[in-house]
């Protein structure tokens, strides 16, 4: 049996903090870079590199099984998927995954009649295309979206760095232009 790699062990540095009369001990506080998400502390980066190397080495003997399981799970997923249309403030809304897509397309149509499939009903329009928004980023997560009750404005929050700090922007759906200045460092 091959030797198992040893996991790195984070060093402990005594640190205490007192807040509101309560003293807390955090021997791993050194792992919290005050400039996060821009981590520059070489000690932290070295430790994270060691953690990643350990993970890769520990996973390597199982790589073919992981790949096989991933392929099996992926094969069980439908090629396309969509939400059941829902009605809100005079519009039908629906999201869809196209074949092979990693991101959703959000659609809406006036609620003047029962919804027909978006492929056959020209009244459906794209409200938000996650794939187009993600195209220029190495990472993309749509935190949430909401349409104003009058159907004119779309608020959407997006994380394009993976630090779980979202940027909230508002778009005027009648003109397609952004309203005001986006708000950074929001929750999803």
């Amino acid at each position: 049996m091959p030797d198992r790699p040893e996991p790195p062990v984070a060093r402990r540095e005594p640190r205490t903090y007192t807040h509101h009369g309560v003293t807390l001990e955090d021997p791993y506080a050194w792992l919290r870079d005050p400039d996060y998400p821009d981590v520059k502390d070489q000690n932290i980066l070295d430790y994270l590199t060691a953690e990643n190397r350990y993970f890769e080495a520990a996973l390597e003997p199982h790589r073919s099984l992981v790949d096989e399981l991933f392929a099996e799970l992926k094969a069980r997923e439908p090629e396309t998927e969509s939400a059941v249309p829902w009605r809100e403030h005079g519009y039908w809304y629906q999201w869809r995954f196209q074949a092979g897509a990693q991101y959703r397309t959000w659609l809406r149509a006036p609620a003047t009649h029962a919804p027909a499939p978006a492929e056959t009903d020209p009244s459906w329009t794209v409200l938000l295309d996650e794939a187009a928004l993600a195209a220029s980023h190495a990472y993309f997560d749509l935190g949430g979206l909401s349409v104003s009750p009058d159907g004119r404005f779309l608020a959407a929050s997006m994380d394009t760095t993976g630090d779980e700090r979202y940027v909230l922007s508002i778009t005027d759906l009648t003109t397609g232009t952004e309203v005001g200045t986006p708000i950074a460092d929001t929750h999803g």
Side-chain angles (χ1 to χ4, degrees):
M1 179 177 224
D3 289 335
R4 297 190 83 169
E6 288 296 320
V9 177
R11 72 178 186 277
R12 297 172 60 95
E13 293 181 1
R15 293 208 187 158
T16 59
Y17 306 94
T18 301
H19 299 283
H20 307 290
V22 177
T23 300
L24 305 170
E25 294 182 21
D26 185 0
Y28 302 105
W30 68 270
L31 283 167
R32 188 179 306 116
D33 192 315
D35 294 326
Y36 178 84
D38 189 18
V39 179
K40 295 177 184 171
D41 185 305
Q42 195 58 49
N43 290 323
I44 296 171
L45 294 171
D46 290 345
Y47 181 74
L48 292 175
T49 299
E51 285 267 348
N52 288 334
R53 281 191 191 130
Y54 168 73
F55 171 78
E56 290 300 328
L59 185 65
E60 189 55 39
H62 311 289
R63 179 64 62 193
S64 62
L65 177 59
V66 170
D67 293 344
E68 180 183 336
L69 289 172
F70 178 78
E72 182 179 330
L73 290 170
K74 188 76 174 155
R76 293 176 188 218
E77 290 290 319
E79 279 293 307
T80 62
E81 186 179 359
S82 61
V84 173
W86 68 93
R87 188 177 180 155
E88 193 172 317
H89 302 295
Y91 288 92
W92 289 107
Y93 291 91
Q94 182 181 49
W95 56 257
R96 300 183 61 80
F97 278 104
Q98 300 300 330
Q102 293 183 20
Y103 297 99
R104 295 176 187 177
T105 301
W106 296 79
L107 307 159
R108 80 171 179 175
T112 56
H113 57 281
E119 307 84 36
T120 60
D121 185 347
S123 65
W124 285 95
T125 59
V126 174
L127 186 63
L128 188 125
D129 183 349
E130 289 183 46
L133 294 170
S136 60
H137 303 285
Y139 177 88
F140 179 84
D141 180 44
L142 177 67
L145 59 85
S146 182
V147 178
S148 62
D150 65 0
R152 180 174 175 189
F153 298 101
L154 170 70
S157 63
M158 293 163 247
D159 173 6
T160 58
T161 62
D163 64 3
E164 298 182 1
R165 294 180 184 187
Y166 292 77
V167 175
L168 176 66
S169 61
I170 299 173
T171 302
D172 183 332
L173 295 172
T174 60
T175 64
T177 59
E178 201 169 84
V179 177
T181 304
I183 302 168
D185 296 330
T186 66
H187 187 268

